[in-house]
């Protein structure tokens, strides 16, 4: 039996991997432009971290974690998200003591959730995310959203929409929670069993239910925005004011509660409005989590961040018909005809590579025509042909593939010639 890839995972093959690299390159360079530094954390963590961090009443913790026991009997979990691990590292390495405050971090890597696979929903997916720890300035809320939007814009996406909400502070949430319980209690039996449990454990989660989304009780549920206290309201107003000042359009959706427990104040999602984008339209999600550092054992420290999935980003680019400017494969393909020429080609290819050029050659003993075809397939900008005659003269016949223009170049000058023509520094 042939092996198959596990459900909900995917291979990224050459042809596509260049797109991944390009997208990650743009996201990284924008992060550095905004003053964010990379952090790398392990792919698995102690299970307890996610129970605490993500929240034990969330779908992620209740249904979606890849949890296993290692040979030492420890309960470990493949990370379903990046925020709790980053906060764990922040506390463990006492980064709250660093003179750099707020600490602005970004990360990129695979996350794992046992979800029902469908278009845009995977069991292993790659998140690119940022976390800014140590400031409760609404300007940083605006910065984080601006950065996410900037990444999409820089890649050429046009049909994206920033949706925002505020969950307020603890007091506001408490008042809203009581109102939700009053609203749903008498008719909770009309909702699914998950919602019935949520009424007891975490009523806010009811608003996030996928099954009962269209139930009449949802539309009439009390809005968090009516329960924000003065401080929370003022905070939210300031965030909106900054976004407006940056010229970033947004809409407010009071039903945006997000699927993780750590949020308060600002929450947001970025959706694709491209045609044909269904269930996986949420490209990016994030928000403020002022209690999380303390929950994980650190000093009271505010935080905010987002994570976007690269799979969904690439799907949105496809849906909008955006072609990424990924580089062609090779600067030069060395075509050798005959045994002596082949020996020379081996040496020459290495020398050209050492000079900084992207170069390849034939390893299948192909005829001249087939080698030229290979050069074409690999997207070589130039071919350098050497046969007995060229060897005699210590030259290569260099052909510019796009124009067909051909010149003889001494072998010793080939690297210089190519670097100059391609516009690369020597
Ligand atoms: P999240 O909303 O659970 O938030 O995930 C963020 C993004 O990851 C989603 O908007 C979606 O694009 C992508 N995503 C989630 N699940 C899948 C999946 N199964 N397949 C493909 N893509 C998926 C978080 O993870 C938070 N840690 C974000 C955050 C950072 N909040 C503050 N800081």
């Amino acid at each position: 039996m042939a092996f198959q890839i596990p459900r909900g995972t995917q291979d990224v093959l050459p042809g596509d991997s260049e797109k991944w690299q390009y997208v990650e390159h743009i996201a990284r360079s924008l992060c550095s432009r905004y003053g964010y530094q990379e952090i790398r954390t392990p792919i698995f963590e102690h299970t307890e971290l996610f129970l605490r961090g993500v929240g034990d009443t969330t779908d992620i913790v209740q249904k979606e974690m890849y949890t296993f026991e290692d040979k030492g009997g420890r309960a470990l979990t493949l990370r379903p998200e990046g925020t709790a691990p980053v906060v764990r590292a922040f506390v463990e390495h006492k980064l709250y003591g660093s003179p750099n405050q707020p600490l602005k971090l970004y990360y990129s890597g695979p996350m794992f959730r046992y979800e029902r696979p469908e278009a845009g929903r995977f069991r292993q997916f790659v998140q690119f995310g940022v976390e800014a720890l140590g400031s409760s300035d609404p300007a940083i809320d605006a910065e984080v959203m601006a950065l996410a939007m900037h990444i999409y814009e820089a890649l050429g996406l046009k049909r994206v929409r920033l949706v925002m909400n505020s969950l307020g502070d603890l007091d506001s949430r408490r008042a809203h929670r009581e109102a939700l319980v009053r609203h749903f209690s008498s008719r909770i039996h009309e909702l699914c069993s998950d919602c019935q449990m949520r009424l007891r454990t975490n009523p806010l989660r009811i608003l996030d239910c996928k099954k009962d989304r269209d139930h009449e009780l949802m539309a009439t549920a009390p809005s968090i925005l009516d329960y924000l206290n003065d401080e929370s309201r003022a905070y939210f107003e300031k965030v909106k004011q900054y976004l407006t000042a940056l010229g970033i359009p947004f809409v407010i959706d009071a039903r945006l509660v997000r699927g993780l427990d750590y949020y308060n104040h600002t929450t947001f999602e970025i959706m694709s409005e491209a045609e044909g984008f269904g269930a996986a339209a949420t490209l990016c999600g994030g928000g403020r989590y002022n209690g999380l550092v303390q929950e994980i054992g650190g000093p009271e420290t505010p935080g905010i961040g987002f994570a976007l999935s690269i799979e969904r980003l690439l799907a949105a680019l496809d849906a909008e018909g955006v072609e990424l400017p990924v580089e062609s494969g090779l600067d030069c393909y060395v075509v050798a005809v005959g045994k002596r020429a082949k020996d020379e080609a081996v040496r020459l290819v290495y020398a050209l590579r050492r000079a900084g050029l992207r170069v390849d050659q034939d390893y299948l003993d192909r005829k001249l025509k087939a080698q030229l075809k290979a050069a074409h397939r690999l997207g070589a900008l130039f071919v350098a042909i050497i046969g007995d005659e060229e060897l005699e003269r210590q030259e290569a016949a260099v052909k510019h593939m796009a124009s067909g223009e051909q010149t003889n170049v001494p072998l010793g000058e080939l690297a210089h010639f190519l670097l100059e023509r391609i516009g690369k520094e020597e």
Side-chain angles (χ1 to χ4, degrees), residues 6-9 66 113-123:
R7 226 163 105 73
T9 66
Y66 280 92
R113 294 184 194 176
Y114 190 79
E115 292 199 79
R116 197 164 50 79
E118 53 185 89
R121 178 161 290 126
F122 299 91
R123 290 181 172 167

Side-chain angles (χ1 to χ4, degrees), residues 129-189:
V130 313
E131 313 293 348
L133 290 140
S135 165
S136 51
D137 181 344
I140 205 145
D141 299 45
E143 174 180 285
V144 161
M145 287 184 268
L147 171 54
M149 291 296 274
H150 201 159
I151 292 174
Y152 292 123
E153 189 194 313
L155 289 164
L157 281 183
K158 298 213 158 52
R159 309 208 50 203
V160 289
R161 178 151 79 138
L162 173 61
V163 183
M164 200 174 42
N165 189 21
S166 172
L167 299 180
D169 62 8
L170 218 59
D171 277 345
S172 313
R173 283 187 67 162
R174 203 171 290 133
H176 182 232
R177 184 190 163 108
E178 283 163 16
L180 287 172
V181 172
R182 277 197 302 276
H183 175 76
F184 285 111
S185 283
S186 60
R187 292 173 62 191
I188 192 66
H189 56 274

Side-chain angles (χ1 to χ4, degrees), residues 60 80-84 107 113 115 120-127 129-131 152 258-260 262-263 269-270 280 282-289 304-309 311-312:
I60 293 184
E81 61 102 49
T83 310
Y107 52 90
R113 294 184 194 176
E115 292 199 79
R121 178 161 290 126
F122 299 91
R123 290 181 172 167
Q124 175 177 330
F125 55 98
V126 175
Q127 276 189 349
V130 313
E131 313 293 348
Y152 292 123
R258 312 266 306 119
L260 304 97
Y262 44 63
Y263 292 115
E269 287 187 349
I270 299 173
T282 307
L283 302 179
C284 171
R288 184 162 273 290
Y289 45 85
I304 180 164
F306 71 75
L308 61 85
S309 108
E311 289 83 356
R312 290 188 189 180

Side-chain angles (χ1 to χ4, degrees), residues 57 62 177 194 196-203 205:
T57 60
Q62 292 203 332
R177 184 190 163 108
D194 278 351
Q196 295 179 16
M197 193 176 67
R198 288 172 186 138
L199 183 68
R200 273 175 282 119
T201 57
N202 191 349
R205 285 265 79 74

Side-chain angles (χ1 to χ4, degrees), residues 266 273 291 300 349 375:
T266 316
E273 294 187 318
E300 199 179 329
V349 164

